[in-house]
């Protein structure tokens, strides 16, 4: 279009537009720029929640203190948002950026809502082929979280895709294929960002799978590298030296079963050490005997791995449960921090493992520092302080002698996916614990391997077990008298001793965070939000959210001078669920609480 405006005016007009545009772009870029530096500093002010575990060390410790021990009892609902129809528990940790909360719910539906009001900004449904994928999901139609980077929300899809969505609109920027559900893989964990790469692992350990995690360019979605947790067919070339080493710790024809070692939750990145830490799942099938690996370690199942983000090269590994036969995935969330132990400054990685031991390792070298039971344990008599290897109780190997043996903890674990948190002021970790869980194990009689199916090699619900199974003696803190349920355990990682404990919660469902207000906030799976003093465990708050199950962990953020606490929960299924129960379904929700909030909680 030709303009008839006087030239001078046109020039003035276009230059002011250009200036305006330049300003707008600069401001836009400034707020949009979640880069490596921003992620390295994430959690320092506590105003936003930019990464799965809040801080690079995944401590879930917020320096916010507007809500504190003196006023937390005034918490009330500010707003709620229905996240979807449900169909599984809510296990995700939402992210908060630029006044918006980003969340992921069942079937990997991603949403963005105004963090002040709960008003929806956008919603994106990956349209998973539910009937095809459902039979490949071992443990719930769940996703645990998202990542944010360079104007994108990075979202895992349970069917094996990885998506980058525009943070403002929810439109797809790129899509990558990490795995196929036809190969028995799913994705449930939250992706992590390391040096411009997205790192993601695949779930599916009870199915015939060969576990792995992989890296993709965060800006383009281009595949960078893959690291397998277990070796493949040894008649083919090994992918790397680590696989060659691992193959020597297996026997028989393990690769035909996949091997296991799925990666479905714990991961952390230390930008200073430039290492990604990854937890690996159990071997498949569960009994070592059925893997034809009696007395062999089966690297790298049930392990903590440290790899370089540029190449995926393995720097060190530590195997928590060599020759595992009890489904002790080592995938529980990590905390990275620096603490002084025996007068020595240590850069540590810590984990409250499914197997009941609390581990402290040197995160630079992988050297074992200490491990003690934080729950009842009888599969091992302790961890050798020199070698870091467990002293496995020979009676725990139900498969070697073909006996029924009751093992503590159960395959659900003393701690599972519920996030723990670490408060640097109290020096304590807050572990959602199942303190006295157990399961009676025996080898499935006449076990035959089935393609494409779950192959645990252990009968469901312990069917066929002896009426008087062996029960090897336990170590670890005893449960409260009469206590059957879960516990919140405050653990001192320096002394490896429990400081306080209180009933409620479990290794799976809900989770914890702590704040500079001397608070621990805990969500437990019966729908309650609770607050305790972080130093002593005095109970300060109890709110029944009305969601009654399928709960996710709490987060906090600050907007317009107001501190919020938010969480997701609900399964979307009728309470009770069976036997013609007519209770109406409570649809899953995202709830946000503030001091003196007055909205009504779900009924
Ligand atoms: Ca498992």
């Amino acid at each position: 279009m030709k303009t008839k405006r006087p030239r001078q005016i046109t020039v003035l007009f276009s230059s002011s537009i250009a200036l305006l545009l330049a300003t707008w772009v600069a401001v836009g870029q400034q707020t949009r720029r979640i880069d490596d530096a921003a992620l390295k500093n994430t959690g320092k002010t506590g105003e936003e929640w930019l990464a799965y575990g809040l801080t690079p060390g995944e401590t879930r410790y917020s320096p916010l203190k507007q809500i504190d021990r003196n006023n937390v009892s005034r918490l009330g609902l500010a707003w709620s948002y229905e996240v979807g129809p449900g169909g599984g528990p809510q296990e995700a940790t939402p992210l908060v950026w630029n006044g918006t909360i980003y969340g992921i719910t069942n079937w990997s539906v991603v949403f963005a809502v105004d963090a002040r009001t709960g008003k929806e900004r956008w919603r994106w449904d990956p349209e998973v082929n539910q009937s095809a994928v459902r039979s490949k999901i071992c443990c719930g139609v769940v996703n645990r979280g998202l990542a944010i980077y360079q104007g994108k929300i990075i979202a895992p899809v349970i069917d094996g895709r990885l998506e980058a969505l525009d943070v403002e609109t929810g439109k797809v920027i790129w899509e990558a294929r990490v795995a196929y559900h036809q190969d028995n893989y799913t994705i449930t964990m939250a992706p992590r960002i390391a040096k411009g790469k997205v790192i993601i692992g695949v779930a599916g350990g009870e199915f015939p799978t060969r576990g792995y995690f992989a890296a993709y360019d965060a800006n383009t979605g281009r595949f960078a590298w893959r690291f397998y947790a277990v070796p493949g067919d040894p008649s083919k070339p090994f992918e790397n030296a680590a696989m060659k080493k691992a193959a020597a710790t297996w026997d028989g024809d393990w690769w035909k079963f996949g091997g296991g070692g799925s990666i479905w939750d714990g991961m952390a990145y230390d930008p200073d050490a430039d290492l990604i830490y990854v937890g690996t799942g159990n071997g498949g099938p569960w009994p070592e005997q059925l893997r034809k690996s009696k007395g062999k370690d089966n690297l790298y199942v049930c392990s903590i791995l440290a790899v370089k983000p540029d190449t995926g090269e393995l720097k060190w590994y530590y195997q928590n449960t060599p020759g595992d036969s009890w489904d002790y995935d080592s995938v529980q969330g990590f905390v990275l921090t620096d603490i002084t132990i025996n007068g020595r400054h240590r850069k540590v990685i810590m984990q409250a493992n499914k197997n009941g031991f609390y581990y402290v390792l040197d995160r630079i070298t992988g050297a074992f520092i200490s491990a003690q039971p934080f729950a009842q344990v009888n599969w091992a008599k302790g961890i050798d302080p020199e070698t870091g290897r467990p002293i496995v109780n020979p009676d725990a190997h139900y498969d070697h002698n073909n006996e029924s043996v009751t093992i503590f903890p159960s395959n659900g674990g003393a701690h599972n996916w519920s996030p723990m948190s670490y408060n640097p002021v109290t020096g304590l970790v807050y572990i959602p614990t199942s303190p006295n869980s157990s399961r009676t194990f025996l080898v499935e009689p006449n076990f035959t391997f089935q393609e494409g199916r779950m192959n645990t090699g252990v009968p469901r619900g312990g069917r066929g077990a002896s009426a008087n199974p062996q029960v090897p003696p336990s170590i670890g803190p005893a449960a409260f008298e009469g206590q059957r349920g879960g516990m919140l355990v405050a653990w001192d990682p320096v002394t490896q001793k429990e400081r306080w404990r209180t009933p409620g919660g479990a290794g799976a469902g809900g989770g914890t965070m702590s704040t500079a207000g001397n608070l621990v906030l805990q969500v437990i799976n019966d729908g309650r939000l609770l607050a305790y003093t972080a130093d002593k465990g005095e109970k300060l708050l109890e709110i029944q959210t009305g969601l009654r199950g399928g709960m996710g962990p709490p987060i906090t953020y600050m907007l317009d001078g107001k501190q919020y606490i938010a969480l997701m929960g609900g399964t979307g299924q009728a309470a009770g669920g069976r036997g013609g129960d007519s209770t109406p379904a409570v649809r899953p929700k995202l709830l946000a609480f503030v001091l003196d909030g007055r909205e009504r909680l779900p009924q």
Side-chain angles (χ1 to χ4, degrees):
M1 193 179 83
K2 281 188 181 171
T3 172
K4 286 184 181 174
R5 276 194 208 102
R7 194 162 174 258
Q8 205 183 356
I9 294 178
T10 312
V11 169
L12 256 175
F13 179 73
S14 11
S15 58
S16 46
I17 288 280
L19 186 71
L20 256 171
L21 263 173
T23 315
W24 179 76
V25 167
V27 168
Q29 279 179 345
Q30 205 175 19
T31 53
R32 191 167 292 140
R33 202 163 173 75
I34 300 299
D35 54 10
D36 295 329
L39 288 179
K40 193 173 169 176
N41 289 310
T42 177
K44 278 205 174 140
T45 68
E47 287 183 358
E48 300 184 307
W49 193 292
L50 295 175
Y52 182 71
L54 180 60
T55 66
E58 306 226 344
T59 55
R60 292 179 187 252
Y61 169 77
S62 169
L64 295 181
K65 53 184 177 189
Q66 184 180 78
I67 299 170
D68 63 20
R69 64 160 296 161
N70 297 315
N71 62 21
V72 69
S73 60
R74 283 167 37 207
L75 267 192
L77 189 67
W79 53 260
S80 70
Y81 167 77
E82 196 169 290
V83 299
Q90 309 307 310
E91 298 189 359
T93 300
L95 301 180
V96 182
W97 173 76
N98 201 25
T100 306
I101 301 190
Y102 300 89
I104 183 165
T105 184
N106 313 118
W107 298 112
S108 315
V109 173
V110 184
F111 57 84
V113 301
D114 188 317
R116 294 172 182 86
T117 63
K119 192 168 175 284
E120 186 175 289
R121 292 203 158 136
W122 55 258
R123 191 173 173 84
W124 180 76
D125 185 344
E127 296 174 344
V128 173
N129 183 343
Q130 297 183 11
S131 58
V133 175
R134 191 184 289 276
S135 65
K136 300 296 182 186
I137 299 171
C138 98
C139 314
V141 183
V142 296
N143 282 101
R144 295 193 190 82
L146 304 161
I148 183 168
Y149 191 68
Q150 304 279 29
K152 300 175 211 48
I153 293 292
I154 311 292
V157 182
I158 198 160
D159 64 12
R161 287 175 282 163
L162 185 66
E163 309 282 336
L165 309 175
D166 186 300
V167 77
E168 306 283 359
T169 64
K171 283 191 177 161
V172 175
I173 296 173
W174 56 254
E175 177 177 275
R177 177 55 79 170
V178 182
Y180 291 92
H181 69 268
Q182 290 92 336
D183 297 330
N184 308 308
Y185 293 112
T186 49
I187 301 182
T188 60
M189 67 174 288
R192 309 301 205 276
I193 304 290
K195 275 174 126 174
K197 290 190 173 66
V198 184
I199 321 291
I200 187 82
V202 289
E206 272 59 58
F207 291 87
T209 55
R210 184 182 178 201
Y212 64 83
F213 53 100
Y216 296 82
D217 185 304
N219 284 319
T220 64
R222 220 173 91 176
F223 171 79
W225 51 258
R226 177 183 295 116
F227 187 88
Y228 285 102
V230 296
D233 182 348
S235 72
K236 294 176 183 161
F238 294 111
E239 287 86 356
N240 51 49
M243 287 302 104
K244 187 176 181 189
K245 177 176 175 167
T249 67
W250 291 77
D251 225 334
D253 42 12
W254 77 88
W255 67 96
K256 292 180 180 167
F257 299 164
S262 63
I263 283 97
W264 57 268
D265 192 26
M267 194 179 271
Y269 173 57
D270 178 348
D272 295 323
D274 195 29
L275 289 173
I276 301 164
Y277 304 100
V278 182
T280 70
N282 56 286
W286 289 354
E288 184 192 70
Q289 189 90 342
L290 291 183
R291 300 197 300 272
K292 299 174 190 160
S293 286
K294 188 174 172 181
K296 300 231 167 186
D297 287 353
N298 292 166
L299 292 173
Y300 300 91
V301 304
C302 306
S303 299
I304 300 169
L305 311 177
V307 303
K308 299 296 279 184
D310 288 330
T311 56
E313 180 201 354
L314 182 68
K315 292 308 281 186
W316 60 256
Y317 71 91
Y318 173 82
Q319 191 174 39
N320 305 76
T321 316
D324 168 59
S325 292
W326 311 279
D327 187 23
Y328 288 152
D329 310 73
S330 285
V331 306
Q332 295 67 53
F334 301 118
V335 163
L336 317 180
T337 191
D338 295 1
I339 50 178
T340 301
I341 302 173
N342 295 330
R344 202 172 146 197
H345 181 82
R346 306 297 299 251
K347 288 178 176 295
V348 301
I349 179 169
M350 309 194 287
Q351 187 186 49
N353 196 279
K354 234 184 175 186
N355 73 16
F357 286 94
Y358 191 87
Y359 289 88
V360 181
L361 308 178
D362 182 316
R363 73 173 177 275
I364 307 301
T365 63
F368 176 83
I369 296 175
S370 63
Q372 288 296 331
F374 63 95
Q376 296 264 282
V377 170
N378 73 357
W379 70 274
K381 297 175 177 176
I383 311 290
D384 184 313
E386 297 303 315
T387 63
R389 283 183 72 91
I391 305 153
V392 177
N393 193 333
D395 294 335
H397 264 295
Y398 60 98
D399 49 339
H400 293 184
N401 309 315
N402 208 16
E403 286 176 316
S404 303
V405 186
T406 301
I407 297 295
F408 289 75
S410 74
N411 57 304
H415 174 226
N416 197 297
W417 65 265
S418 298
M420 68 177 192
S421 52
Y422 170 70
N423 185 318
V425 179
T426 61
L428 301 176
V429 287
Y430 304 98
I431 313 167
T433 305
S434 299
N436 53 352
S437 70
S438 66
R439 174 181 178 135
T440 299
F441 285 89
L442 67 156
V443 177
E444 174 100 58
N446 313 314
F447 170 77
T448 50
F449 175 77
Q450 292 183 291
E451 288 288 348
R453 298 284 189 88
M454 286 179 76
N455 287 278
T456 63
V458 169
R460 272 183 182 240
R463 241 177 298 156
S466 148
N468 294 303
Q470 274 204 59
V471 189
S474 293
I475 55 168
F480 282 161
E481 188 77 25
Q483 171 71 29
R484 291 301 306 164
M487 283 279 180
L488 174 59
V489 170
W491 188 264
D492 182 338
V494 173
T495 61
Q496 287 279 20
K497 284 197 170 73
E498 181 180 298
R499 192 75 67 79
W500 56 259
R501 63 158 68 186
T502 187
T512 71
M513 68 166 184
S514 75
T515 74
N518 189 20
L519 295 178
V520 183
L521 287 121
Q522 183 191 23
V523 175
I524 67 179
N525 223 21
D526 62 9
R528 281 181 291 165
L529 167 65
L530 298 136
Y532 301 94
T533 55
D535 53 353
K536 293 182 181 149
E538 300 150 305
K539 191 169 167 183
L540 304 167
L541 170 80
E542 174 171 333
I543 294 175
Q544 172 51 256
T545 64
L547 295 170
R548 305 274 177 192
M551 305 303 288
I555 62 161
T556 188
Y557 58 95
M558 188 95 162
L559 258 179
D560 305 333
K562 238 190 237 185
Q563 186 184 353
Y564 291 77
I565 286 162
L567 61 103
M568 288 166 65
T571 61
Q573 286 154 356
R578 271 174 285 172
D581 190 325
S582 61
T583 314
V586 180
R587 290 194 153 208
K589 289 181 178 66
L590 168 64
L591 307 177
F593 295 85
V594 288
L595 293 178
D596 306 318
R598 285 165 203 273
E599 288 299 310
R600 289 185 60 174
L601 285 161
Q603 293 300 303

